[in-house]
Each structure stands twice: as structure tokens, then as C-alpha cells.
Amino acid sequence: MNMTARPVSFAAPAASSTVDYGFLRQLVYEQSQNVLDPSRDYLFETRLAKLLRNHGLSHLEELIQLLRLKRDPLLERSVAEAMTINETSFFRDARPFELLRTDLLPKLIENRRGVRSLRIWSAACSTGQEAYSTGMLLLEHFPQLASWNMRIEGTDISGEVVRRCQSGTYQRIEMNRGLPARHIVRFFDHHGEDWTVKPELRKLCNFRQANLCGIQPPFSPPMDRFDVIFLRNVMLYFSQETRKKLLTHIHRLLAPDGVLFLGSSEQPADATLWVPVLAGGTCYFRPRQAS
Ligand SMILES: C[S@@+](CC[C@H](N)C(=O)[O-])C[C@H]1O[C@@H](n2cnc3c(N)ncnc32)[C@H](O)[C@@H]1O
């Protein structure tokens, strides 16, 4: 994935189209800071089809007319949410989870022996697989944490995916991607075509809708402090400026010995705040401390 800086530009619509895609891209940017490439304008048609139907509209032009009136903030948010890419899977990219198991969590647990508390954030959690994978890892390999104050927070801008996280219900195709059979047996109940996470795992995880780049970010220092933060596969949709701002905020939320995971091809926009560590075939980031 290309993480180089891209200027935010919302070019005029192609001459052959009557749909003002530039208007839609600008709206998505204002709502979610996601920068959509004009080469993917065709996605508006499919992604917004349900929203059009729900509002009794037949064409994108009609939706744009409605949006231009600026009377319905919820409609504006729904357009941005419908355009998000929610691709995820259990134990995605495996190596960060393996490194947590073998090295990072044992050290964090040792450091937190006094406070007996561990807090993990799956930022941009999509349908919850990242948060639940971390929960399964903790429950399977660190039973000594049962009496600790343990919490995994999952947040995402899309209300629809957050409702999926909260239901903890997955379809066969999702279960078949990255989930070992022993985890299915131990952590899921099977109902008809679906699998639902068992209460032991569900109660470790808390999910809510939140915009990482909004006026009110999901968490605020110094009240909130995390030991591990996953911020994977979301910054690639942001401008360089948005990435820089977000990572400055994340830096303040991470414990000095905490760990940040980005997507496998992502880098912090401002390298001065982060120390990259290569280990276990992956890369994670430590917050650089002011000297
Ligand atoms: C490709 S998924 C990544 C999911 C997971 N982190 C992973 O790596 O498997 C990106 C997620 O980021 C969310 N997202 C996009 N913009 C966001 C924003 N401004 N605030 C919070 N979440 C956002 C999308 O809704 C989507 O669910």
C-alpha cells in the first residue's frame, strides 16, 4: 500500500457524468477524513444503493441535491460510513499476535504486576475480529489475568460494523479466515449458519462508534491510557496531515512501555515521536520519550 503524502484534491466530475463525485468525495472527507481516489468513483453507485432505497431515491443526483440542502447531519454521516472499507479477519497478519504472545505481553504483564490492569484498544476495529482475536489470545495463554482488570476497547466510525461487533456473530466465511478450530470450539457457540462469541470472550470487549479524527476523539489523555494500541489498515485512507495529528494524539494515549501496531505497510507520519522495533518478522512502535 502506498503511504506517501497525497494532496487532498476533489477534482471536478468527469465531463461524461452528471454526478458530482467531487461533492461526494469532499463530503466523505469532511465527515471521516477518508480521502477517496477519483478512480474509484464507481463505488459510490454500489455502496450508496441501500441508502438511496431507504430514502426513496433513485439516483445519486437526487441524493446530492438533498445533501446540498445541509439539513440532515445523519444523512451526511451515513454517506461517509457507507464508503468505508471494512476488510478484516481474525488474527489478521498473524505475526503481531504471535509477538504479543511470545514476548510483548509477558513483559507488559510483568510490568503491570502491581496495578493488575491491562488495557488494549483496537482503533478502527471494523467488525471486531481484531479485538476478539486479542481477547482469545489473552484467555488462552494468560489465564493468570483472570483476576486482573482487563479491557479491550474497540471503536469504529461505522455504526453498522459496531453493531456487528456488539452482536459478536459471524458467518461461516468469516470464521474460515484465520481462526484455528480449537478457538472455534472454545470461544464460539454455533447457531444455525452463524457463530456467536461466548460470554467469557464477549465481556472482555467493549465496542462503540467513534470517529478517530473527530472533534471529540474516542479517548482522552491523561484519563485514558493504553498498553497496546492497534491502529491497523486505516491510516492509508487519511491525508498526511490527518495521520500526523492522529498519531500525536495516540502517542499521548500510549503508556511509556506500551506498544503500537500499524498495518504491515504503514509508517508513522511523524517519525520523531516513535521508535520502530523489528521483531518476530513484524514491526511495532514504541512511543519516544521526551529527553
Ligand atoms: C480496513 S478496516 C481495518 C480493520 C482492522 N483494523 C484490521 O486491520 O483488520 C478500516 C476500518 O476503519 C474504519 N474507519 C475509517 N475511517 C475512520 C475514522 N475516521 N474513524 C474511525 N474509524 C474509521 C472503517 O469504518 C473500517 O472499519
Side-chain angles (χ1 to χ4, degrees):
M1 261 162 266
N2 182 7
M3 290 291 292
T4 51
R6 267 186 305 176
V8 178
S9 121
F10 301 97
S16 59
S17 171
T18 53
V19 176
D20 187 350
Y21 289 112
F23 173 86
L24 290 174
R25 275 184 260 119
Q26 171 71 38
L27 181 139
V28 169
Y29 177 70
E30 283 164 15
Q31 292 292 318
S32 66
Q33 281 66 52
N34 282 218
V35 180
L36 303 182
D37 197 282
S39 66
R40 296 167 71 92
D41 279 348
Y42 64 93
L43 286 175
F44 281 106
E45 203 82 46
T46 40
R47 296 273 182 79
L48 297 179
K50 188 168 152 204
L51 193 131
L52 289 179
R53 267 200 314 279
N54 290 347
H55 285 78
L57 307 170
S58 2
H59 301 289
L60 282 178
E61 288 93 329
E62 293 172 49
L63 175 67
I64 291 173
Q65 270 176 19
L66 211 55
L67 290 164
R68 284 193 201 278
L69 299 176
K70 289 226 159 270
R71 287 204 193 127
D72 190 347
L74 196 65
L75 181 63
E76 294 179 11
R77 274 215 302 279
S78 307
V79 169
E81 283 182 34
M83 295 309 295
T84 56
I85 311 281
N86 307 121
E87 168 72 17
T88 190
S89 57
F90 288 106
F91 295 99
R92 184 176 188 176
D93 298 338
R95 285 179 179 156
F97 295 97
E98 191 52 20
L99 189 65
L100 279 167
R101 180 181 75 78
T102 55
D103 183 35
L104 301 174
L105 281 170
K107 286 181 186 147
L108 277 169
I109 290 168
E110 176 62 22
N111 294 351
R112 301 290 181 278
R113 250 182 334 155
V115 289
R116 297 168 70 78
S117 147
L118 207 58
R119 218 165 162 217
I120 295 168
W121 179 21
S122 168
C125 62
S126 186
T127 36
Q129 285 90 329
E130 189 170 76
Y132 286 128
S133 301
T134 312
M136 287 186 259
L137 184 77
L138 292 174
L139 291 170
E140 185 180 29
H141 297 285
F142 304 96
Q144 70 271 36
L145 298 179
S147 59
W148 282 36
N149 180 9
M150 246 197 323
R151 201 97 196 109
I152 300 168
E153 304 282 356
T155 61
D156 198 282
I157 197 168
S158 159
E160 195 169 325
V161 296
V162 169
R163 282 189 288 281
R164 290 268 334 269
C165 296
Q166 288 164 339
S167 77
T169 297
Y170 296 93
Q171 292 164 357
R172 183 182 300 274
I173 190 164
E174 296 166 309
M175 301 296 287
N176 283 345
R177 292 184 64 198
L179 206 48
R182 69 174 194 285
H183 283 143
I184 301 181
V185 173
R186 171 155 177 203
F187 296 112
F188 290 82
D189 288 319
H190 189 191
H191 308 281
E193 284 298 295
D194 295 334
W195 282 259
T196 303
V197 293
K198 290 189 177 173
E200 178 192 22
L201 177 57
R202 178 65 191 87
K203 69 177 190 230
L204 264 189
C205 305
N206 186 38
F207 296 102
R208 71 187 161 88
Q209 185 177 9
N211 184 353
L212 284 171
C213 318
I215 311 161
Q216 250 193 326
F219 297 101
S220 323
M223 283 105 63
D224 293 303
R225 190 38 80 100
F226 289 93
D227 304 301
V228 179
I229 298 180
F230 292 96
L231 181 69
R232 301 195 306 161
N233 306 304
V234 62
M235 283 203 303
L236 62 159
Y237 305 112
F238 296 155
S239 70
Q240 187 77 351
E241 194 191 332
T242 307
R243 290 174 197 162
K244 206 167 161 183
K245 219 164 130 193
L246 175 59
L247 276 169
T248 304
H249 181 67
I250 298 266
H251 186 270
R252 297 171 61 216
L253 284 169
L254 198 60
D257 61 347
V259 176
L260 169 70
F261 281 105
L262 301 179
S264 55
S265 52
E266 295 171 319
Q267 292 287 326
D270 182 354
T272 61
L273 288 180
W274 300 95
V275 182
V277 184
L278 291 171
T282 187
C283 179
Y284 66 91
F285 298 88
R286 295 266 191 209
R288 204 183 283 280
Q289 302 308 311
S291 47

